[in-house]
Amino acid sequence: MNADLPDATNAAVVGVGNMGRHHARVYSELPNVNLVGVFDVNDEQAREVAEDHGTRAMNLEALLHAADVASIAVPNQFHAEITSQCIDHGVDVLVEKPFVDDPEVGQELLDRADEAGVTIQVGHVERFNPAIRTLADIVADLDVIAIDAQRLGPPPGDRQVDESAVLDLMIHDIDVVLAMLGEKPDEVNAHGVKNNQYATASLQFDDAVATLTASRVTQQRIRKLSITAEDCRVNVDYIDRSVEIHRHSLPEYIEDNGDVRYRHESIVERPTVETGEPLKNELESFVAAATSGTDPVVSGEDGLRVLEVARRIDDIAADERPEAEVSAR
């Protein structure tokens, strides 16, 4: 907590459950940021997190009066309501993904925020993964042909998740793909099983195709993305934050003891990936955008575009299920 700094940005966290408590931790660690307080409908949980990070548990109205910026980490159905209150108080806001349930409501919030001069950033934290930051520099020089992303894992044992694997997991990769290609897909196909706890999607763009898989029923945790380009293949591992670029050297014939052999070597480049916690990178970037009035890295408009594609995938995958499974929802 940096309350002794007169020019510190006062930060608040609304909702300190599984994700929000990490927002509180990071704000308490950032220089020139004062974690002014936290709020949660669970008073005991709010007091516990506040005590852990040297701040106060406050009621929502008092908290928003005291804050310059706020993270919203409440269940998705309350995102719009809390964001609206932040706008009314002139508080810049980072909303955890997905931005809202209803894109029309989201657009109304963005219009109001624009009129009020309030910054809205959406919490697509993978954009701040050091490996993805490195990838962004590489992709700028590539002619991308195809993207393949896998985000798989077992059911979460420590939290209740109401969303499908598309809206909870695949949405991260949708955001990365849309940011990478700079456009929305022309065509979307999808399939899902187990109430979309396992889902695949194919996105067709002007000159590229993306294949995405998300699962909450796979007994192995995988977070990987691969790019096929004209002259290389790039592999990213989100978990160990590594990037590999695979290239082929020119084929050649070599002579070995009178025998002529064909050789085609593969060259693997491993660019340096900066260290750093993605959430800390995200909140640093958010505070910088809010205090300087510059555009956030992941804007509210970005969040809406991603949400629209994710909902489309989720709906198509649901329609692909057997009739008995769909009627059982």
Side-chain angles (χ1 to χ4, degrees), residues 190-192 196 312-323 326 329:
H191 302 276
N196 284 1
R312 188 175 172 192
I313 290 170
D314 207 34
D315 290 344
I316 294 171
D319 289 342
E320 290 288 330
R321 295 184 211 139
E323 183 177 348
V326 175
R329 292 181 66 189

Side-chain angles (χ1 to χ4, degrees), residues 153-290:
D158 59 345
R159 65 188 178 108
Q160 168 104 19
V161 179
D162 297 324
E163 294 87 12
S164 70
V166 175
L167 289 168
D168 184 45
L169 299 176
M170 187 186 291
I171 194 167
H172 286 294
D173 298 307
I174 297 169
D175 174 62
V176 169
V177 168
L178 296 191
M180 191 184 307
L181 298 180
E183 57 181 307
K184 290 172 65 174
D186 299 319
E187 185 179 335
V188 175
N189 291 295
H191 302 276
V193 294
K194 296 288 186 182
N195 290 324
N196 284 1
Q197 297 305 292
Y198 188 105
T200 64
S202 176
L203 311 181
Q204 181 69 53
F205 297 86
D206 281 346
D207 298 308
V209 64
T211 304
L212 314 178
T213 304
S215 171
R216 211 184 274 118
V217 293
T218 301
Q219 297 303 322
Q220 181 184 5
R221 189 166 183 265
I222 298 172
R223 302 284 189 272
K224 293 185 177 181
L225 181 143
S226 298
I227 296 172
T228 298
E230 291 283 355
D231 60 351
C232 68
R233 178 178 171 86
V234 184
N235 294 328
V236 175
D237 191 312
Y238 288 94
I239 297 175
D240 64 21
R241 298 173 192 170
S242 65
V243 179
E244 292 184 345
I245 306 171
H246 294 254
R247 305 183 193 273
H248 282 292
S249 63
L250 292 175
E252 62 177 340
Y253 291 92
I254 60 173
E255 185 174 342
D256 184 15
N257 293 327
D259 294 329
V260 176
R261 294 188 294 108
Y262 176 81
R263 181 173 67 183
H264 201 162
E265 293 183 338
S266 179
I267 300 172
V268 181
E269 302 172 18
R270 294 180 176 84
T272 300
V273 176
E274 305 246 339
T275 58
E277 179 187 359
L279 182 60
K280 181 167 284 190
N281 293 340
E282 179 181 50
L283 295 188
E284 283 179 332
S285 177
F286 165 57
V287 171

